[in-house]
Amino acid sequence: MSLGSKKVESKVHLISDESRADIDLWVAKYPADRKQSAVMSALRILQDQNGGYLTEDLMDAVAEYLGMEPIAVYEVATFYSMYELEAVGKHKICVCTNISCMLCGSDDVVKHLENRLGIKLGETSSDGRFTLKEVECLGACVDAPMFQIGDTYYEKLTPETIDKILDGLN
C-alpha cells in the first residue's frame, strides 16, 4: 500500500483468522459504506487477541481493515477507558470513582486495594496479577461503590467483600 510517495507496509496480517471472523460479524451489522462503525468492536477483539492491550501496529491493522485513517482509530482507542495501550495484569480492576461511587466510599475502596495489592491507581503488581485502574461511571450507581474485573461487576463493596473477591481469583 502506498500513501502518496510514502510506501506503507500492510498490517492486516496481524489480525488472526478468528479475530477477522469476529470483526466481520460486527461489520455485517452496518451498511456496507459504514463498516467503520465496527471500530470499537474491532479494537476490543484485537485487544483480547493480544492478551489485553493494543499496540500501534494492531490499531493500524484495524484502520486498514475498516478503511479508516489511523488517527481516527487512535482517537477511539485513547478516548475510551476500556482500551489499554500497555500490558496489563491478569486481573484488571476497574474502580469507578465517579460521583455516586465517590459519595458511597470509592475512595475507601481505592485505599484498601492500594494497600492490599501494594500498587497505586494506574499501576500493575510486580507479579503481573493485578492492574488497578480508575474509570468513569460504569452504570451501576444504585449499588455503589463498585468495580469491574473482566466482564464481572462487583457492587456494594466493603473491605471484607473486596478481600473475599481477591482471594477467589486465581
Side-chain angles (χ1 to χ4, degrees), residues 3 36 59 63-64 67-74:
L3 295 174
Q36 296 90 347
M59 290 185 282
E64 184 180 345
M68 301 174 68
E69 289 297 321
I71 188 64
V73 175
Y74 304 160

Side-chain angles (χ1 to χ4, degrees), residues 96 100-101 104 137-146 153 155-157:
C96 178
S100 293
C101 284
C104 292
C137 186
L138 291 169
C141 304
V142 70
D143 290 320
M146 62 86 60
Y153 275 21
E155 302 166 336
K156 297 182 181 178
L157 295 170

Side-chain angles (χ1 to χ4, degrees), residues 130-155:
F130 299 100
T131 295
L132 192 53
K133 183 172 184 173
E134 180 177 24
V135 297
E136 287 298 315
C137 186
L138 291 169
C141 304
V142 70
D143 290 320
M146 62 86 60
F147 61 55
Q148 177 183 11
I149 302 175
D151 294 330
T152 305
Y153 275 21
Y154 298 93
E155 302 166 336

Side-chain angles (χ1 to χ4, degrees), residues 69-165:
E69 289 297 321
I71 188 64
V73 175
Y74 304 160
E75 289 170 343
V76 173
T78 58
F79 180 79
Y80 292 100
S81 64
M82 74 263 275
Y83 303 116
E84 300 297 334
L85 304 180
E86 296 178 2
V88 295
K90 179 178 181 182
H91 304 289
K92 180 173 69 170
I93 304 171
C94 297
V95 184
C96 178
T97 58
N98 213 321
I99 189 71
S100 293
C101 284
M102 183 192 66
L103 292 173
C104 292
S106 66
D107 289 345
D108 295 331
V109 169
V110 169
K111 284 179 193 167
H112 185 77
L113 285 165
E114 288 179 341
N115 289 333
R116 165 84 192 250
L117 301 175
I119 57 175
K120 299 287 184 194
L121 287 173
E123 296 179 346
T124 298
S125 60
S126 59
D127 62 3
R129 286 191 69 215
F130 299 100
T131 295
L132 192 53
K133 183 172 184 173
E134 180 177 24
V135 297
E136 287 298 315
C137 186
L138 291 169
C141 304
V142 70
D143 290 320
M146 62 86 60
F147 61 55
Q148 177 183 11
I149 302 175
D151 294 330
T152 305
Y153 275 21
Y154 298 93
E155 302 166 336
K156 297 182 181 178
L157 295 170
T158 65
E160 295 77 28
T161 60
I162 292 168
D163 288 340
K164 186 175 180 180
I165 292 162

Side-chain angles (χ1 to χ4, degrees), residues 24-35:
D24 288 346
L25 290 173
W26 285 95
V27 168
K29 295 178 183 212
Y30 301 101
D33 64 337
R34 300 279 189 234
K35 67 182 182 179

